[in-house]
Amino acid sequence: MIPLSVLDLSVVTSGTRPAAALRNSIDLARHVDGLGYVRYWLAEHHNLASVASPAPDVMIGQIAAVTKHIRVGSGGVMLPNHAPLVVAERFKMLEALFPGRIDLGLGRAPGTDGATAYALRSRLDRREGDDFLERLHELILWETREFPAGHPYHNVVAMPDDTKLPPIWLLGSSDYSSELAAQVGMGFAFAHHFASHDAVDAMVHYRNRFQPSAWRASPHAILAVAVIIADTDEEAERLASSFDLNRLRRDRGQYLPLPSVEEALAYPYSDSERTSILRNRSRLFVGSPATVRKKLQPLIDASKPDELMAITAVYDHEARKKSYSLLAEAFGLVKPAAA
């Protein structure tokens, strides 16, 4: 069966404090670790009332410390926001503390608005345009120590120097990252849950053009999808109403906490808003375990991912945990052996 993983945004819900979302992330990680999920990734977002965690490296350490089997990583670090040396140091530290259990996923986007992106980068050496490739190259050089003689960084060492960087993954929602990941021989994760680009095209493109490297001998593609599962289709649809209203607001630039089911059901939707909701449902898989498995299978068959990564945003934390339990049931997940 296909391995299952989790992408967690530490979603803030209306009427609760962001700190509760962080604690819920730790609780969810413990839960899915016990179910046999293979990976737990944290995202980086800034200045969003709906997302509690702007620092995935901090959350990675907290979650790795309270879990036993699951790999923990970033989905991802937005590399343009950070000096590559800082990223190298932090993830070497994490790998040293939790050897063999850390992933370094990298993204190109700022994960925020323009003003916040400027505030994050204003003290860095800013360059005009997209400097992701330059930053990625520098990050790799901190690992390989191939700065040429005479380079200002030649004698600078990313500590701890007895620990390698964890596996690097490139994240994307278009064909750019799939092409780049294939060229440099790294893992690739495609964000189906918000991409407008065709997932099958990106995944097949990556696999067909992959070039083995020191980072990875063979391609490994992760398909990230949004799912909401409950015991029945009707209950899952009820839970998904929060997602529907939240997505409608996001499309208007309103990044508010995730609304409750009651708030979403009471909202007076116009015909055009209902049309938008139906359109957005193309990126969300809702239903009972059997229904979601049936909906997902054609996409899995066509894109042939090595791993399915699920993001589940529902108002009630216990319902979210149950959704991941039911997803594990739908795909016949085997629990890890006791430590």
Side-chain angles (χ1 to χ4, degrees), residues 31 64 227 241 259:
H31 177 68
V227 299
S241 63

Side-chain angles (χ1 to χ4, degrees), residues 288-329:
S288 66
T291 297
V292 169
R293 176 66 187 267
K294 183 178 180 180
K295 289 179 178 179
L296 274 171
Q297 199 61 51
L299 179 60
I300 293 172
D301 291 341
S303 61
K304 296 180 171 58
D306 297 288
E307 193 173 317
L308 191 69
M309 180 170 280
I311 175 171
T312 298
V314 296
Y315 184 83
D316 181 72
H317 178 59
E318 292 303 317
R320 181 164 69 139
K321 289 169 63 177
K322 184 172 183 178
S323 181
Y324 281 108
S325 295
L326 294 173
L327 180 65
E329 174 187 309

Side-chain angles (χ1 to χ4, degrees), residues 44-48 54 80-81 110-122 126:
E44 175 186 341
H45 292 284
H46 302 272
N47 193 34
L48 295 181
N81 295 341
T112 190
D113 59 275
T116 307
Y118 182 82
L120 287 165
R121 306 173 190 180
S122 62
R126 275 181 62 86

Side-chain angles (χ1 to χ4, degrees), residues 84-103:
L85 174 58
V86 173
V87 176
E89 289 176 331
R90 291 178 180 178
F91 277 82
K92 278 174 170 282
M93 283 184 63
L94 288 167
E95 180 66 20
L97 292 168
F98 308 101
R101 293 186 55 210
I102 304 299
D103 293 322

Side-chain angles (χ1 to χ4, degrees), residues 128-187:
E128 295 299 325
D130 186 347
D131 64 351
F132 178 80
L133 275 177
E134 183 179 348
R135 289 174 183 269
L136 177 62
H137 186 217
E138 183 182 324
L139 176 64
I140 292 171
L141 287 173
W142 288 118
E143 173 69 9
T144 62
R145 303 294 309 132
E146 293 177 349
F147 289 108
H151 191 281
Y153 299 161
H154 181 70
N155 294 320
V156 181
V157 177
M159 294 294 288
D161 63 351
D162 63 342
T163 303
K164 291 183 177 295
L165 278 175
I168 297 178
W169 300 77
L170 299 187
L171 282 54
S173 57
S174 68
D175 57 347
Y176 176 89
S177 292
S178 67
E179 175 69 28
L180 180 58
Q183 286 183 5
V184 299
M186 293 178 177

Side-chain angles (χ1 to χ4, degrees), residues 21 26 29 42 83 90 93 96 100 120 135 138 181 206 220 236 245 255 270 272-273 284 311 326-327:
I26 293 172
L42 293 306
R90 291 178 180 178
M93 283 184 63
L120 287 165
R135 289 174 183 269
E138 183 182 324
Y206 164 72
H220 191 110
L245 179 56
Y255 292 88
S270 66
S272 63
E273 288 173 332
L284 177 65
I311 175 171
L326 294 173
L327 180 65

